[in-house]
Amino acid sequence: MTRTPTDTPAQTAPPAAAGNLIARAEAFAIDAHAGQTRKGAAREPYVVHLAEVATLTRAFGGDDPAVAAAWLHDCIEDCAVVDSEIRAAFGATVADLVDELTDPPRTPRAQRRRLQVEEAATKSPQASLIKIADKTSNLRSVSMSPPRQWDAARKLGYVRWGVAVVAALPAPPDGALATFLDVVETARRASAGAPDADAWAIRRRAIGDRAVLAELARDADGGY
């Protein structure tokens, strides 16, 4: 697959009968991210994350364009892929979702984190599903295979940031939120310690998922 870093005039219609949308998106993402690995100690191929996000997006109620966009959500941000290429290959619906999920290029980490929180409330329903799937996958990696150089404070800051983003999304489905909070509990156990995670688990059972998410988000206001 040949790419250039130069944008071209956008095409909004996908090629007719060009094969299964999700299978094509998967193949495109695998090619685009070839050779990339995750930052965690296990150095998994990056496509493991994309596959998990796509699977979670479907489980959370995502439609075919959303699952395709889940495969493609990091292509523009992390690869030599441009918006018009996504539009030409997959159409405007998928491309618009990918655009919603793409951080501005060369944005410093602190600004990127702040923007994701600030812009979460504006996400479309399908983009919100992909975003919570992405954060679920990322926080799971904090407990399973964090970067070797991350200490407990940095891991906890990453967890708090993920919570802040998800809390700002427009009312994620109950099942998606429950899955996310299960992962938050495990990630906080790996970063803040067992007493902290146990306390939030008890609080969650007492007041419910949405209320405990709001409390976790207030806690995240302390910094991430």
Side-chain angles (χ1 to χ4, degrees), residues 5-220:
T6 304
D7 212 340
T8 57
Q11 300 179 35
T12 57
N20 179 273
L21 177 68
I22 295 171
R24 289 191 293 113
E26 178 182 354
F28 187 101
I30 289 171
D31 180 73
H33 291 274
Q36 294 181 359
T37 60
R38 302 213 73 187
K39 296 177 181 178
R43 307 298 292 175
E44 297 173 312
Y46 196 78
V47 294
V48 171
H49 166 65
L50 302 177
E52 182 174 32
V53 175
T55 299
L56 288 169
T57 297
R58 177 67 88 195
F60 295 163
D63 58 17
D64 284 1
V67 176
W71 275 105
L72 301 166
H73 76 277
D74 281 333
C75 277
I76 294 175
E77 203 168 302
D78 296 341
C79 308
V81 174
V82 294
D83 174 81
S84 60
E85 188 174 3
I86 301 291
R87 290 182 186 276
F90 302 102
T93 299
V94 172
D96 287 347
L97 286 170
V98 173
D99 182 62
E100 282 192 74
L101 298 160
T102 300
D103 291 335
R106 296 177 294 280
T107 307
R109 184 180 71 184
Q111 182 181 359
R112 183 176 72 251
R113 289 188 175 189
R114 177 178 56 79
L115 286 173
Q116 282 202 24
V117 175
E118 291 176 355
E119 295 174 357
T122 69
K123 294 288 180 274
S124 65
Q126 294 296 311
S128 294
L129 295 180
I130 302 168
K131 179 62 76 172
I132 193 170
D134 184 42
K135 294 306 181 191
T136 300
S137 175
N138 286 337
L139 295 198
R140 185 173 285 150
S141 72
V142 169
S143 57
M144 296 180 63
S145 180
R148 295 186 187 277
Q149 70 274 22
W150 283 22
D151 59 15
R154 185 163 182 184
K155 287 187 285 187
L156 180 59
Y158 192 82
V159 174
R160 289 158 69 110
W161 173 49
V163 166
V165 173
V166 169
L169 291 172
D174 289 345
L177 181 56
T179 300
F180 175 73
L181 288 175
D182 287 345
V183 172
V184 169
E185 181 182 338
T186 303
R188 288 190 73 111
R189 191 174 301 277
S191 56
D196 172 274
D198 290 343
W200 281 114
I202 292 168
R203 184 69 174 157
R204 179 184 177 188
R205 290 194 295 272
I207 67 174
D209 284 356
R210 296 193 185 276
V212 84
L213 178 65
E215 290 192 357
L216 285 166
R218 288 193 292 274
D219 173 64

